[in-house]
Amino acid sequence: MRIVALSFIIAVASCAPSQNASSKVPADLVIQYAEGGGFTGQWTGAVIRSDGSVHVWSPIAPDSVSTLIGTLSVSVLSDLWRSAEAHKLLDLSGSEEAGNMTRTISIGVHGKQATASWPYGPSVPGDVKPYAAFYEECRQAVSRLKR
């Protein structure tokens, strides 16, 4: 009887849904974020790729000198992807606002790209709050690599 019960439990557990299928990080995912402007016009940012590699760059643009600083773990990268999906970033219209200091983030996957820019400061415009929250999550994940 115990063997039958154990077999039943294993069968049920194997049929239970695992993580959401969409939590798998797409092979073509690219996240770029940056901040800059101000008196110097300097920009710094990072590029996160689907393999978890993180390149940071400064002072002009991602195509300038970039440095590989490490690789995000599969779980951290999956968390970022789930967050992007939860915020529905690819479905939002984005924003192109700028300020003296500006933050920008772009996420690209499956041929779609969503980008938002906003003035960096204590208040974030309502339409870019999901992007700003995602920006902060990405920035924190990358800053943990730099330690």
Side-chain angles (χ1 to χ4, degrees), residues 20 22 79-95 105-109 112-116 126-135 137:
N20 183 350
S22 64
D79 288 347
L80 288 176
W81 173 242
R82 278 192 295 274
S83 176
E85 288 187 305
H87 287 299
K88 300 182 182 334
L89 297 181
L90 291 168
D91 298 329
L92 298 176
S93 61
S95 172
I105 190 160
S106 172
I107 180 170
V109 65
K112 282 182 81 173
Q113 185 165 346
T115 303
D127 59 334
V128 295
K129 283 187 179 182
Y131 289 102
F134 186 64
Y135 180 104
E137 292 172 41

Side-chain angles (χ1 to χ4, degrees), residues 35-93:
E35 67 179 45
F39 176 73
T40 64
Q42 298 284 319
W43 283 79
T44 59
V47 179
I48 302 169
R49 302 202 181 279
S50 62
D51 63 358
S53 63
V54 177
H55 288 79
V56 295
W57 55 268
S58 183
I60 305 299
D63 295 334
S64 62
V65 178
S66 69
T67 304
L68 175 66
I69 62 162
T71 303
L72 298 175
S73 69
V74 172
S75 67
V76 170
L77 191 59
S78 293
D79 288 347
L80 288 176
W81 173 242
R82 278 192 295 274
S83 176
E85 288 187 305
H87 287 299
K88 300 182 182 334
L89 297 181
L90 291 168
D91 298 329
L92 298 176
S93 61

